[in-house]
């Protein structure tokens, strides 16, 4: 490859990484300004992403990604809907991350284990679902820690992603999550499934907002979401988008340059 082509590829790579909206590492990101500012920054540098640290915050989203989207289901495990949702996902060979509430894991240990044993990912959605951004550090640590401990005691696996309830986050939340070894995960496509009982509307919300590299917010506590899921999965397929877990999206992100080369860029 010639120097010009190589430079063009590197430039493209840098822009691509910039649009990932990944704020990398507490030391790298937080000293230079707020996380909110970082979200809008296009200057997260390629070297930072390859320092081997976990990202502090993931919004998802990159127009240049190979066609992956992360599906996320919050608020379970749910005795009515979680298992049927796992079935639908498996039938469509779709991956997903379930952000579970620690206190519910305590009530539904079998369903929690089923999520993992069927090949899906589990994330931390706090222990009792408070607004984490309003808690003092002690309570914040407690909410994160109790949920992770419950998940680990139930499944033998510790979560590495935190979805703050209601998406309520601030720098303190992201820092606390990072101190527990977790990346805070937000979303780019909101199904607004908590606002409607109409499966068509939920599918439409997702399919109109979703883009390659995005993260979709759903709830496995909502019956209409389960009913909307086949249409969502068919719609994603039609758009050439492959649903995966957050972990897989991140792994693909970190191997981005290789993925770009595969695409012949
Ligand atoms: Zn929630």
């Amino acid at each position: 490859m010639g120097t010009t082509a190589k430079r063009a590829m590197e430039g493209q790579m840098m822009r691509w990484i910039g649009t990932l909206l990944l704020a990398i590492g507490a030391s790298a990101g937080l000293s230079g300004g707020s996380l909110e500012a970082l979200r809008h920054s296009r200057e997260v540098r390629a070297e930072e992403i390859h320092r081997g640290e976990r990202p502090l915050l993931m919004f998802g989203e990159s127009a240049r990604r190979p066609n992956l989207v992360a599906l996320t289901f919050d608020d379970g495990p749910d005795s009515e809907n979680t298992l049927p949702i796992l079935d639908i996902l498996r039938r469509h060979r779709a991956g997903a991350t379930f952000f579970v509430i620690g206190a519910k894991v305590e009530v539904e240990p079998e369903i929690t284990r089923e999520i993992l044993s069927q090949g899906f990912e589990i994330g931390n959605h706090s222990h009792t679902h408070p607004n984490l951004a309003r808690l003092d550090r002690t309570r914040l640590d407690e909410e994160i820690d109790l949920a992770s401990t419950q998940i680990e005691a139930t499944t033998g696996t510790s979560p590495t992603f935190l979805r703050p309830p209601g998406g309520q986050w601030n720098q303190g939340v992201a820092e606390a999550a990072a101190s527990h070894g977790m990346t805070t995960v937000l979303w780019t496509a909101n199904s607004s499934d908590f606002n409607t009982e109409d499966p068509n509307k939920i599918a439409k919300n997702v399919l109109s907002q979703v883009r390659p590299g995005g993260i979709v917010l759903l709830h496995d506590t909502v019956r209409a979401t389960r009913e909307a899921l086949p249409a969502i999965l068919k719609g994603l397929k039609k758009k050439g988008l492959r649903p995966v877990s957050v972990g897989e999206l991140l792994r693909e992100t970190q191997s981005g340059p290789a993925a770009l080369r595969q695409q012949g860029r």
Side-chain angles (χ1 to χ4, degrees):
M1 189 186 294
T3 312
T4 316
K6 195 169 166 230
R7 211 166 272 155
M9 194 188 86
E10 278 169 5
Q12 201 166 42
M13 215 171 85
M14 301 271 274
R15 282 192 297 280
W16 170 74
I17 286 165
T19 55
L20 285 172
L21 305 172
L22 289 169
I24 310 301
S27 57
L30 294 178
S31 55
S34 72
L35 289 172
E36 192 54 39
L38 268 173
R39 180 191 172 155
H40 297 292
S41 165
R42 288 290 182 275
E43 292 171 10
V44 178
R45 297 198 313 275
E47 306 89 80
E48 288 176 333
I49 202 169
H50 291 297
R51 279 200 314 221
E53 297 173 35
R54 288 183 66 79
L56 191 67
L57 202 63
M58 265 181 97
F59 292 90
E61 197 176 284
S62 161
R64 294 191 182 281
R65 276 302 308 135
N67 289 342
L68 301 183
V69 289
L71 292 187
T72 65
F73 293 87
D74 288 10
D75 292 2
D78 182 79
S79 58
E80 193 194 340
N81 296 299
T82 304
L83 292 177
I85 284 175
L86 297 182
D87 280 349
I88 298 169
L89 290 170
R90 273 175 50 231
R91 275 208 300 278
H92 287 80
R93 296 198 172 79
T97 300
F98 289 78
F99 286 100
V100 297
I101 296 173
K104 286 194 180 175
V105 170
E106 227 172 317
V107 181
E108 300 289 357
E110 295 294 335
I111 296 176
T112 311
R113 282 191 284 271
E114 204 55 35
I115 294 171
L116 271 179
S117 70
Q118 293 196 25
F120 299 96
E121 182 173 61
I122 286 189
N124 181 326
H125 195 44
S126 82
H127 197 65
T128 64
H129 209 267
N131 178 343
L132 295 182
R134 291 214 179 130
L135 301 184
D136 64 36
R137 181 62 197 252
T138 310
R139 281 273 293 122
L140 179 53
D141 280 331
E142 219 173 70
E143 275 292 333
I144 295 174
D145 195 39
L146 279 174
S148 284
T149 305
Q150 188 62 50
I151 292 166
E152 188 168 7
T154 306
T155 66
T157 306
S158 246
T160 52
F161 297 108
L162 173 79
R163 160 74 48 77
Q168 303 284 351
W169 69 283
N170 56 23
Q171 196 157 319
V173 171
E175 278 175 347
S179 77
H180 290 267
M182 276 185 283
T183 297
T184 298
V185 179
L186 299 165
W187 59 81
T188 56
N190 188 347
S191 65
S192 299
D193 55 358
F194 40 84
N195 272 336
T196 177
E197 288 177 357
D198 179 0
N200 294 324
K201 192 145 186 254
I202 294 170
K204 202 174 151 219
N205 286 342
V206 171
L207 295 171
S208 64
Q209 293 171 44
V210 73
R211 289 196 296 274
I215 298 175
V216 179
L217 172 67
L218 297 150
H219 293 82
D220 53 331
T221 45
V222 179
R223 192 190 172 87
T225 299
R226 159 185 158 189
E227 291 164 356
L229 198 52
I232 291 173
L233 294 168
K234 275 177 211 149
L236 292 176
K237 193 171 183 190
K238 216 166 157 186
K239 287 173 182 283
L241 295 171
R242 187 161 71 84
V244 296
S245 65
V246 171
E248 190 173 346
L249 183 69
L250 179 61
R251 282 193 295 280
E252 287 294 320
T253 295
Q254 287 175 332
S255 62
L260 284 177
R261 275 198 298 279
Q262 272 170 19
Q263 286 190 326
R265 289 177 189 270

